[in-house]
């Protein structure tokens, strides 16, 4: 088969999810859950269509977490909860980059797992930001 040069491109898409300690959300078990208590909390936070490929991203602690010893965060999906970020303490303000893997989504959401340790968190704000493209999509002509 004779190949042809690429004739189109697509812009990078960005999705973000932000929460504070006082927020609640339905977790992956279908129960209303908070982000504060000293236990693992697992949420599907960014839906992904089949064919999506994460290109990068970040976890940003905008307001430091207080009350807990650590505020551990993992980012992945239903198959691998650490696909983009292994367990990382985000108790202090700052940024941790996601690690793109080249994985092509089959439709599973981006999953965020947070685990305050020793005691419940009493303050804190975090944003998960994910950059992605859809495999095979072309929205812009290059010619």
């Amino acid at each position: 088969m004779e190949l042809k040069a690429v004739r189109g491109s697509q812009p990078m898409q960005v999705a973000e999810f932000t929460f504070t300690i006082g927020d609640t959300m339905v977790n992956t078990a279908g129960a209303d859950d908070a982000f504060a208590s000293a236990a693992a909390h697992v949420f599907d936070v960014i839906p992904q269509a089949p064919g999506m490929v994460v290109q990068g991203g970040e976890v940003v602690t905008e307001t430091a977490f207080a009350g807990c010893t650590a505020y551990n965060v993992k980012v992945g999906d239903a198959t691998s909860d650490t696909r983009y970020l292994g367990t990382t303490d985000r108790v202090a303000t700052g940024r941790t980059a996601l690690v793109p893997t080249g994985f092509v989504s089959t439709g599973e959401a981006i999953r965020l797992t947070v685990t305050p340790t020793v005691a419940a968190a009493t303050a804190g704000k975090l944003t998960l930001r994910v950059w992605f493209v859809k495999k095979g999509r072309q929205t812009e002509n290059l010619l």
Side-chain angles (χ1 to χ4, degrees), residues 36 38 65-72 89-92 115-123:
F65 289 90
C68 54
T69 303
Y71 200 83
N72 293 317
D89 182 10
R90 291 300 323 138
V91 76
T115 309
T117 61
V118 180
T122 57

Side-chain angles (χ1 to χ4, degrees), residues 102-127:
F103 175 73
V104 179
S105 172
T106 57
E108 58 279 286
I110 299 292
R111 180 166 284 183
L112 175 67
T113 304
V114 297
T115 309
T117 61
V118 180
T122 57
K125 180 179 180 181
L126 184 136
T127 296

Side-chain angles (χ1 to χ4, degrees), residues 2-128:
E2 184 177 344
L3 298 177
K4 296 182 180 180
V6 172
R7 301 180 120 183
S9 67
Q10 65 176 295
M12 188 82 66
Q13 296 181 60
V14 180
E16 67 179 35
F17 176 79
T18 300
F19 71 89
T20 63
I21 279 308
D23 294 331
T24 61
M25 183 176 180
V26 175
N27 64 24
T28 57
D32 203 31
D33 197 359
F35 292 84
S37 64
H41 308 278
V42 184
F43 306 96
D44 286 337
V45 296
I46 300 173
Q48 292 269 284
M52 295 295 192
V53 181
V54 171
Q55 301 295 303
E58 60 189 1
V59 175
V60 180
T61 303
E62 297 181 34
T63 303
F65 289 90
C68 54
T69 303
Y71 200 83
N72 293 317
V73 175
K74 297 189 286 187
V75 180
D77 55 44
T79 304
S80 171
D81 66 354
T82 59
R83 188 176 307 279
Y84 306 111
L85 181 66
T87 302
T88 303
D89 182 10
R90 291 300 323 138
V91 76
T93 56
R95 173 189 180 273
T96 300
L98 298 185
V99 179
T101 64
F103 175 73
V104 179
S105 172
T106 57
E108 58 279 286
I110 299 292
R111 180 166 284 183
L112 175 67
T113 304
V114 297
T115 309
T117 61
V118 180
T122 57
K125 180 179 180 181
L126 184 136
T127 296
L128 167 63

Side-chain angles (χ1 to χ4, degrees), residues 4-9 138 140-143:
K4 296 182 180 180
V6 172
R7 301 180 120 183
S9 67
Q138 293 185 358
E140 305 288 332
N141 291 325
L142 294 175
L143 302 174

